[in-house]
Amino acid sequence: MDDRGGSFVAVRRISQGLERGNTCHSTSAEVVAGSAAWLGRGLSCVCAQRRESDARPSFDLTPAQEECLQRLQSRIDVPYDSSIPGHQEALRALWNVSFPEEQLRGLISEQWKEMGWQGKDPSTDFRGGGFISLENLLFFARNFPKSFRDLLRKQEGDRSVWEYPFAVAGVNITFMLVQMLDLEAVKPRTLVGATFLKFLAENESAFDLLYCITFKLMDHQWLAMRASYMDFNAVMKSTRRQLEEELLLEDITRLEELPSYKLLSR
């Protein structure tokens, strides 16, 4: 959906099949108008050919930063595959931590809609974020269970009648962070991306932790803007701007020192 309302927007990762450093990159603005689907389901990406004048600066990495980036990129490149037992187990674990009192009847079930997936098969929604988006949700649930439950059940604030679907919003957040931090490039080409890699070198879980911060910040912005589901894209843009500003604050040496980290509860 655009800032004026309208249909949802759908985005799709473009890393698969492309060499790192390729001249075709997606940004937060490169979206494809779609139906009610926010992510995936056969949608193509709009890619613009870069010119020499469009070249972005790159930042040199320390060996430790380069190694950490490569490990994170390896995670980003893994698609969700419903035939892999480990992926199936992770999906079941997500259900169990989300609804411990309710037994899951199957990996394809109408129950998944309770969590905010678009249909009865969550695997179709992971296409935009890959397996790492499931890992992000699990990390959130296990490390900040109170905040996770509050967002899942929409327990805080004066909420809209038309809310964002929790799980699909989570996949959108993974995708947005990958783009914002330019994590599919060989080297960061933005100051925000270079700054994040300093945190990553100190904490291998930095991406997952930043995901938790971002999800909570997004919901905080949602409430502050009195948003409904038609405003989701505007809320995400506002969240990204706030996050970029916080990452570039002086004297921030750990993600736990970001102002928005204080929004999280364990």
Side-chain angles (χ1 to χ4, degrees):
M1 62 204 142
D2 59 28
D3 294 340
R4 301 178 302 276
S7 62
F8 288 113
V9 294
V11 292
R12 184 181 178 187
R13 286 183 54 227
I14 61 171
S15 61
Q16 296 177 3
L18 296 179
E19 295 291 335
R20 298 211 182 277
N22 193 298
T23 56
C24 181
H25 299 277
S26 65
T27 70
S28 62
E30 286 168 357
V31 294
V32 184
S35 63
W38 288 10
L39 280 162
R41 292 199 178 151
L43 298 170
S44 58
C45 177
V46 178
C47 299
Q49 209 52 32
R50 286 178 58 210
R51 300 167 303 206
E52 289 301 319
S53 59
D54 296 331
R56 301 187 225 171
S58 63
F59 296 82
D60 291 331
L61 304 177
T62 66
Q65 290 171 348
E66 186 172 357
E67 183 179 351
C68 289
L69 174 60
Q70 289 173 353
R71 282 199 293 268
L72 180 54
Q73 288 173 334
S74 296
R75 291 179 62 197
I76 291 169
D77 283 341
V78 177
Y80 178 83
D81 187 340
S82 58
S83 69
I84 297 177
H87 291 199
Q88 297 174 9
E89 292 170 10
L91 190 57
R92 287 193 186 94
L94 179 62
W95 176 269
N96 291 335
V97 76
S98 301
F99 302 103
E101 71 287 349
E102 183 178 350
Q103 184 175 358
L104 179 66
R105 292 189 290 272
L107 293 182
I108 299 178
S109 169
E110 293 290 336
Q111 290 173 286
W112 288 108
K113 295 180 182 179
E114 298 176 35
M115 195 184 296
W117 299 104
Q118 295 182 93
K120 60 184 181 180
D121 183 3
S123 67
T124 60
D125 291 325
F126 282 124
R127 292 175 185 170
F131 183 60
I132 193 172
S133 58
L134 174 53
E135 292 179 314
N136 290 157
L137 283 166
L138 268 174
F139 182 93
F140 191 12
R142 289 167 173 168
N143 289 273
F144 300 96
K146 184 180 186 307
S147 286
F148 181 87
R149 289 192 303 269
D150 288 347
L151 294 182
L152 174 64
R153 296 176 170 86
K154 306 295 191 299
Q155 289 181 330
E156 293 184 346
D158 183 12
R159 313 207 65 100
S160 167
V161 174
W162 299 103
E163 282 287 327
Y164 61 85
F166 172 80
V168 179
V171 178
N172 271 266
I173 288 170
T174 297
F175 180 89
M176 183 271 282
L177 286 176
V178 170
Q179 301 303 302
M180 183 187 84
L181 300 172
D182 203 19
L183 293 177
E184 293 180 307
V186 175
K187 294 182 179 181
R189 295 164 298 180
T190 65
L191 185 55
V192 169
T195 300
F196 169 74
L197 288 181
K198 295 178 182 178
F199 299 136
L200 184 64
E202 297 295 326
N203 180 2
E204 285 258 22
S205 299
F207 185 80
D208 302 89
L209 178 56
L210 187 60
Y211 172 89
C212 301
I213 295 169
T214 305
F215 210 142
K216 188 63 178 177
L217 176 60
M218 184 277 291
D219 191 75
H220 183 75
Q221 299 275 51
W222 178 275
L223 293 173
M225 295 171 65
R226 298 182 178 273
S228 70
Y229 73 105
M230 298 300 288
D231 304 310
F232 184 80
N233 205 37
V235 173
M236 287 289 285
K237 289 179 179 179
S238 177
T239 301
R240 173 169 174 162
R241 285 193 298 268
Q242 178 66 27
L243 198 62
E244 288 174 333
E245 290 175 4
E246 292 191 15
L247 285 169
L248 296 179
L249 288 173
E250 293 184 5
D251 302 324
I252 297 293
T253 60
R254 301 162 55 241
L255 290 176
E256 289 87 348
E257 295 172 357
L258 295 179
S260 292
Y261 178 82
K262 298 176 183 177
L263 297 172
L264 289 168
S265 301
R266 294 186 185 275

